[in-house]
Each structure stands twice: as structure tokens, then as C-alpha cells.
Amino acid sequence: MKTYTVAVIPGDGIGVDVTKAAWQVLEKSAQKHGIHLQPSWFPWSCDYYLKHGMMMPKEGIAILKQFNAILLGAVGWPAQVPDNVSLHGLLLPIRQQFDLFANVRPHRLLRGVQGPLREAAFDILCIRENTEGEYSGAGGRIHQGTPQEVAVETSIFTRHGVERILRFGFEAARKRQKRLASVTKSNAQKYTMVMWDEITDTLAAEYPDVAVTRYHIDAMAARFVMHPQTLDVVVASNLFGDILTDLGAAIQGGLGYAASANLNPDPAFPSMFEPVHGSAPDIAGKNIANPIAAIWSGALMLEHLGETSAANDIMQAVERVTAEGLGNQALSTDALTTAILHQL
Ligand code: GGG
């Protein structure tokens, strides 16, 4: 029996609720398909920070490195730990240290799910650069708290980083509808984003079978709402991709449906799978969070591990449940999970 080791980090808030649900579904699918998923649960979170003064132990990255994959819930409990501390203490170091440069986020309406748009026939694969750009963490503050205070935060775009994420996008487009949209704001940001556009054009020559369109982020935001059916693969920088994929989540029915994979194609590093949503403290522990984004992220994990049948099985079970309209009802986390387990 094939065994995969998985580091499970539920994190904060509804991350705990939905990770528990996702794990139940993953285990059931694994059993059915003769796979063994061996979990190690880590309590790294804002609670852990309050006890230990850090979001994960100093050797956290070395510990995670030994696993085949990481399943993450959500990070953040702003009432007790500033969001920038929790994010830079857990989620971002994992993405950066394991060079998980491609954050892949599918946006489509699951069968039966009621989205806010008239147009339902869209299937977008957003690919967000995940290790540099606006999230590089380069900057500082001087004269803090005084009227003379200065804060500087520099976006860092490297040719290597931009080229590899665009190439990842072109390869993905080749396996889909062969259309790629590259998103910048190169009229206003005349260094980094102009370089991004130039690299897009250079790579486009290597992929003559892929139709490429360059968009500005503002126009792309409008297109997500007005003409989402015209989009196939969308590649964007770290921050633009983050914002755009919340819009993607909205048009697919809400953040409860938006899944993501943080990928490094090199199997020497564990890739990480997480719902796009955050910890939602207002509904944490109330058994009302939608577990589908976390379950879908689990399916993306199985797909990445090469267990395509087990992954497809999960998504078919999810869609049989949503097709019955259950996704649109205010079902509890447990009830929705039970319905999906039943379909499996
Ligand atoms: N599901 C992980 C999580 O907590 N996401 C919320 C969030 O704000 N993440 C930061 C980011 O992806 O930029």
C-alpha cells in the first residue's frame, strides 16, 4: 500500500473546523483507493504564538521538509495576534522556504451552486506568483510613531521568478483551452510590471499554440464579473493574484468554495494545500463554516501526489452533493461533510 506522510496544520478559527472535515473525506477516499495517508497534526497557530512567542518552532521548516505534503487550514486571530505577525510567522515562511512559487486556484461553479452572476459557464485557473513581488517583505520604518515617520516596502520582481511563473502558466494553458491572460499594471508601475510584460511577450514566442492577452489588473477585475467565460489561465503577481482570487471565489459562490495549491513541482519539497479563505473568527467553532474549499484543496493534494482517481472521486462526491442544492442551504459543517462522506 502506498503511504504518503502529510503534515496537517489546522491553524486558527474555522481552519480547525474545515481541516477536520477535509481530513475525514481524504481518509475515506484514501481507504477506497488503497492509499495510506499518514498524518502528523501540528498545533501551530496564534494560540501557539501566545504560549511560545512564535507561530511555529524554530525548527518548524526542517520538520515540515520531511513530509510529502502539507494540509493547512487558516492563519490569523487578529484580536490577539496582529495579522502581519501570524502571516509572516507561519504561512509566508512555508511558501518562501519551500519555494512554493505557484499558487494555483481554480474558479468554477460546482454543479448546483448558485453564484452571483448570470453567466455560469466559466472555468478559470488563476496562477498567483507566490514567493516574491509585493510579498517580498523588504522594507522598514523609521521614526516610528512620530510625525516624521517613513515606511518603505519594496516589491521585488526577479527575472527568474517572473519567468518561471509565466512558464508554469503557459504549460497549464497548453493542457487546457490554450488561452493565457497575463495581468499587470504596467502603465503605472513602469519597472517591475514592464519587465513582466516583456517576459510575457518573450515566452509567448515559445508557445505559439497559446493565445496570450495582456490585461491591467483593473480591467481584469471587471472582466471577472462581466465576461468570466472568456478567461482560461490567468497569471498574476503575488498581491494581484491574492486580490483577484477573492473575486474568483465570490463569483464561484463564496470563499467557502475556493481551493488552492501552493506548488513546487520539485518533489524534494512538500507542496502545501489550503482553502483560500482565512480564519473567519466570527464564525469559528460554530460548525457553520463551509468545508468544501478545504475538501477541494485536499483533492488538489491527492492530484499533486499522483493519486488522480482518489482526487476525482472526492470532487465527484462533492459535486453530487452540491448538485442536490445542499451547498446553497445553510447546512452545518458536519452535515455537509457527512453528505460528502456518504456519496464517497
Ligand atoms: N487559508 C489560509 C489563510 O489563512 N489565508 C488567508 C490569507 O490572508 N492568506 C494570505 C495570503 O494568501 O496572501
Side-chain angles (χ1 to χ4, degrees):
M1 185 182 280
K2 200 146 187 193
T3 296
Y4 299 99
T5 54
V6 183
V8 187
I9 310 174
D12 298 299
I14 61 164
V16 175
D17 313 6
V18 299
T19 305
K20 190 181 111 206
W23 192 258
Q24 284 176 274
V25 173
L26 279 166
E27 269 197 321
K28 177 127 192 187
S29 176
Q31 244 171 37
K32 241 181 102 176
H33 290 267
I35 311 162
H36 178 48
L37 293 177
Q38 193 177 306
S40 295
W41 294 74
F42 294 99
W44 304 341
S45 60
C46 290
D47 250 2
Y48 186 92
Y49 180 89
L50 293 172
K51 289 187 197 117
H52 302 275
M54 52 187 92
M55 291 294 292
M56 63 174 155
K58 275 201 287 296
E59 61 282 14
I61 292 295
I63 294 171
L64 294 176
K65 173 92 167 59
Q66 297 157 16
F67 288 84
N68 294 123
I70 303 166
L71 187 71
L72 182 110
V75 181
W77 198 260
Q80 288 181 301
V81 181
D83 274 341
N84 67 309
V85 171
S86 54
L87 204 65
H88 283 272
L90 187 58
L91 188 55
L92 299 191
I94 297 174
R95 287 180 183 163
Q96 290 173 355
Q97 296 289 316
F98 294 136
D99 209 13
L100 307 178
F101 68 88
N103 193 325
V104 178
R105 299 179 163 189
H107 300 297
R108 66 182 174 83
L109 275 173
L110 296 177
R111 255 183 295 139
V113 173
Q114 201 88 58
L117 303 183
R118 270 195 308 266
E119 178 58 62
F122 59 86
D123 182 357
I124 305 170
L125 191 70
C126 254
I127 297 174
R128 162 187 177 186
E129 200 293 317
N130 213 29
T131 54
E132 55 173 48
E134 308 88 340
Y135 276 49
S136 298
R141 289 168 71 175
I142 55 169
H143 310 308
Q144 216 163 323
T146 72
Q148 292 75 33
E149 180 163 1
V150 179
V152 178
E153 188 139 6
T154 307
S155 295
I156 296 178
F157 286 80
T158 64
R159 180 167 284 275
H160 168 72
V162 175
E163 188 178 324
R164 71 177 173 177
I165 196 66
L166 282 163
R167 198 175 282 286
F168 190 98
F170 275 104
E171 293 292 334
R174 257 195 180 155
K175 294 185 196 119
R176 292 171 46 101
Q177 300 299 311
K178 299 188 170 48
R179 282 180 282 127
L180 180 132
S182 171
V183 183
T184 66
K185 186 67 182 171
S186 52
N187 55 346
Q189 299 198 290
K190 60 183 183 175
Y191 304 114
T192 54
M193 297 277 165
V194 170
M195 182 179 80
W196 180 296
D197 280 355
E198 285 171 8
I199 296 172
T200 303
D201 292 347
T202 306
L203 284 185
E206 279 184 44
Y207 293 85
D209 50 324
V210 177
V212 183
T213 312
R214 292 207 249 117
Y215 293 92
H216 289 150
I217 179 69
D218 42 347
M220 180 53 86
R223 181 162 290 268
F224 259 57
V225 175
M226 303 299 288
H227 309 291
Q229 76 285 3
T230 63
L231 297 166
D232 179 22
V233 171
V234 175
V235 187
S237 67
N238 212 332
L239 180 62
F240 288 177
D242 179 48
I243 298 167
L244 215 44
T245 53
D246 260 35
L247 187 48
I251 64 170
Q252 71 185 117
L255 276 154
Y257 292 106
S260 84
N262 300 262
L263 301 179
N264 181 340
D266 181 349
F269 297 94
S271 287
M272 176 168 66
F273 303 83
E274 52 164 331
V276 169
H277 62 69
S279 56
D282 54 329
I283 59 163
K286 293 186 177 163
N287 192 25
I288 54 174
N290 184 345
I292 289 179
I295 292 169
W296 191 345
S297 304
L300 294 177
M301 179 181 85
L302 288 175
E303 197 180 312
H304 176 73
L305 293 172
E307 300 297 343
T308 311
S309 308
N312 290 344
D313 210 9
I314 289 180
M315 289 316 293
Q316 279 160 16
V318 167
E319 289 212 65
R320 278 197 293 272
V321 167
T322 57
E324 286 172 17
L326 295 184
N328 304 320
Q329 295 170 20
L331 281 194
S332 70
T333 312
D334 287 347
L336 205 45
T337 308
T338 304
I340 293 166
L341 286 169
H342 178 72
Q343 285 297 339
L344 262 177

